[in-house]
Structure formats: structure tokens, C-alpha cells
Amino acid sequence: MTRGNGSSPVAIFTVVTVGFLLSMFHRVSTTVISPELSADLRLSSAELSALSALFFYSFALVQIPLGLALDRWGPRLVLALLGAIGVAGTMLFALAGGYVQASLARVLLGIGMAGNLMGAFALLVNWFPADRFATLMGALTAAGTLGMMLAATPLAMLVDLVGWRSGMLLMTLVGAVQTAAVLIVVRDRPPGTLGPRPAPGNPLRGLGRLLRMPAFWVIGTATFFRFGAFMTIQGLWAGPYLIYGLGLDPVRAGNVLLACSLGYMIGLPLAGRLSDRVLRTRKYWVVPALFSFALLVAGLALVDREAPFLLLLTLFFLLGLLSAPGQIMYAHIKELVPEAMAGTSMTGINFF
């Protein structure tokens, strides 16, 4: 359905999903093109690692002021501004002549991509019914993870074809188009609806209120361990565990990791749907899922080299599936605070 201002919920959802896809792409893109970067910019291993880390450092540090900005000025303006910074960072990275320029570019990219998920969540709050928030949040996150896949084999093929600099210039164009789409398509709210007025005075008062909530620290700590554990397993430990610990060849190990990613992508919208419409609870869905996830992680210590391959596929699929409900904690914290603090609360959790 198209709204009176020419925007539609579907169009807005599509635009912000592409934005999150770009964020996920840039998170891991340096890994795929690391040989070319090392040779062209004459980078050491430490410098190459720092390029990847700088994105995350700047991304994390922006989260708290980002939440305050989303609540005060709205997601459209904030996303457009950050998108322009991201475009500048991508172009600078494509043209970098050395480590210093590339480092600055990655900092700009981290800042530019910092709002693509939280801004999208803020728009979901404004444009869709509350009982669909977790479902749409899961669908958006699942679709956005395709960006990590695009930064793997497709990016490697593109680099082989045109070189890493031309590939990054192409991504500059994609980012510019997506930022323009934010300005043209996105509106903070449907026409005729008024959002909550930001509290007058010091905007840090809302942050102080959030920091005094015990639930914020419980949910934040759970997010820290849930996402940290999942990404550490999937992105670091699972490969050596499967190849050196269980004796799998790289192809079969890759298939197991793919099953984990598939479980996560399926679990995101599924968990949201169950939380929104079936179970109608956040806490009593997240807690059993994450407890089961922890038991599965512990159970990996009991798997030996004689384990059937199908068992490994199933275990890692379930790891992804049971980690996904943790995403519902964004919906949980949003529902515990006034609507005027939705952005601050979700970015506060995202910081963890």
C-alpha cells in the first residue's frame, strides 16, 4: 500500500534492507581482498588486521550518539548523513595510496554503516504494527546477511575481473544510489501520524534513565555473550575444530559452516514470527533458546572423529537456529522504554 507522500512500507523496507546488506558487505570485504591489498598498499599482517578492526571500533563508538540522534532527528536524516559518510569512505578506500588513507577510509566506513541496522529498526517501529516488529526485524537481518555472502565468492570473482579498486568504486556507486533512495523514498513516519516529542533539555537524560534500568544490563550482557559466542564459533573456532579436531576436509567443513549460516538465516524471521504472533512473549522464548544453544556448544566437546557427517550438519544447523532468537532482545528492550527512547535503547543494546 502506498502512502500519501509517495512512500510505501514495502519500499522503505527494501531500501533499508539494502543498506544493511551494504553494512554486512563492508564488515568482511577486506578479508576477501587481503592478498591484493597487501601487495598493492604494501601492508604488513598487523596493518591488514587493523584495517578490519578499525571498521568495528568506529562502528561501536558511534552507537550511543547514534541512538540519541535517531530519537531526536529521526532515521531518514540520520541515515542519509551517515550514508554520505559511508560513500566518502568507500571512495577514499578505492583511491587509497597507503595504510594511513586506507585506515581513515575504514573509520569513515564504520561510521557510515553504523546506523544501517538501528535506523532500519527505528523505521520498523514507526511504519509497522508492534506485533510484527520482531518478525520484520528478523527478516531484515536475515536478508542483510546476504551481504556477507556477496563479500565472499562474488567479490573475489569481481576482483579477478576488474581489480579491487574498480570493485570498490562500483560499491561506491551502489552506496550513493542507496543513500539517494533513503532521501527519496524513506519518510520517518506515515503521513498524518505524529511521533512522540523528544524530551526537552539535555538529551543525555534519556540515556541516563536507560543506564539505570536493570533490564538494560541483563539484556545487554546476554547480547554480548550470545552474539560474541556465535560469531566466535562461526567465524573463528569452527573451522579449526572441524578440520584439525574432527579431521574433515575443507570442503566438508565449509558445508557444515554453511548449515550453521542457513540455520541462522531461517531462525531470524521464524523466531520473530513465533515471538510476535504465536508465543507472544520475548523473555520466555529467548531464554530457552539461548540455554539450548549453550548446551549445544558444550556438547561439541563430546563429538569425536567417528561422528556421522549428518550429525555435524544437524548440530551446526541447530547452533545457528537457536542463536537467532537472541535478536528478539532488541524488540524486548524497545518495549520496556517510552517510544521516544526506542532508538537510544536499541543502539545501547547494539553497543554490546
Side-chain angles (χ1 to χ4, degrees):
M1 180 178 68
T2 301
R3 304 291 187 183
N5 61 1
S7 297
S8 74
V10 173
I12 291 173
F13 182 84
T14 301
V15 169
V16 296
T17 297
V18 173
F20 181 54
L21 187 150
L22 282 172
S23 176
M24 297 296 284
F25 175 92
H26 286 297
R27 290 184 190 194
V28 298
S29 59
T30 55
T31 301
V32 176
I33 61 175
S34 58
E36 290 81 5
L37 285 177
S38 297
D40 196 354
L41 302 181
R42 293 182 288 277
L43 302 178
S44 66
S45 298
E47 290 172 333
L48 192 62
S49 298
L51 285 185
S52 179
L54 284 170
F55 178 97
F56 292 98
Y57 293 149
S58 57
F59 185 101
L61 290 174
V62 169
Q63 291 305 304
I64 300 303
L66 168 66
L68 299 173
L70 288 172
D71 288 336
R72 185 156 292 262
W73 295 307
R76 177 175 178 262
L77 179 62
V78 173
L79 287 178
L81 176 60
L82 292 180
I85 295 173
V87 169
T90 312
M91 178 171 288
L92 179 60
F93 190 72
L95 303 177
Y99 173 68
V100 173
Q101 288 178 312
S103 296
L104 176 59
R106 289 292 289 178
V107 169
L108 291 176
L109 267 170
I111 295 171
M113 299 295 114
N116 283 12
L117 182 60
M118 294 297 103
F121 285 177
L123 286 166
L124 294 183
V125 170
N126 296 343
W127 277 87
F128 295 92
D131 64 355
R132 296 177 63 192
F133 177 76
T135 303
L136 292 169
M137 179 184 66
L140 185 150
T141 310
T145 56
L146 292 174
M148 297 180 70
M149 298 182 181
L150 291 176
T153 303
L155 177 59
M157 294 173 64
L158 179 64
V159 170
D160 285 341
L161 184 64
V162 300
W164 74 270
R165 292 185 184 272
S166 295
M168 288 297 110
L169 286 174
L170 177 60
M171 295 309 299
T172 302
L173 177 60
V174 173
V177 171
Q178 194 274 335
T179 301
V182 169
L183 286 172
I184 296 169
V185 175
V186 171
R187 296 294 182 271
D188 287 334
R189 290 181 177 275
T193 62
L194 296 176
R197 290 181 176 273
N202 188 350
L204 294 178
R205 288 180 180 174
L207 178 60
R209 176 178 176 178
L210 183 69
L211 295 177
R212 290 192 297 270
M213 292 176 56
F216 170 75
W217 294 101
V218 173
I219 294 173
T221 303
T223 301
F224 176 85
F225 285 105
R226 166 254 171 185
F227 193 70
F230 178 68
M231 291 306 297
T232 301
I233 292 170
Q234 186 189 44
L236 179 62
W237 291 343
Y241 167 79
L242 293 167
I243 295 173
Y244 301 113
L246 300 184
L248 297 186
D249 61 75
V251 173
R252 285 162 69 87
N255 289 336
V256 173
L257 292 176
L258 181 61
C260 185
S261 298
L262 184 62
Y264 189 65
M265 291 182 67
I266 292 174
L268 287 168
L270 177 63
R273 177 72 176 180
L274 290 173
S275 175
D276 279 339
R277 297 296 182 91
V278 180
L279 301 175
R280 298 184 182 276
T281 177
R282 312 300 188 193
K283 175 180 177 180
Y284 294 108
W285 177 218
V286 171
V287 171
L290 295 190
F291 181 74
S292 300
F293 171 79
L295 290 179
L296 274 176
V297 173
L300 293 179
L302 304 177
V303 179
D304 58 27
R305 287 174 173 254
E306 304 302 320
F309 184 64
L310 180 60
L311 174 63
L312 294 176
L313 289 174
T314 302
L315 285 176
F316 274 81
F317 177 84
L318 290 174
L319 279 175
L321 190 72
L322 292 171
S323 174
Q327 196 79 358
I328 298 171
M329 288 187 281
Y330 289 107
H332 196 174
I333 191 66
K334 183 262 298 182
E335 294 163 353
L336 295 178
V337 300
E339 187 178 351
M341 290 176 54
T344 301
S345 65
M346 290 189 292
T347 54
I349 293 301
N350 203 41
F351 176 80
F352 282 89

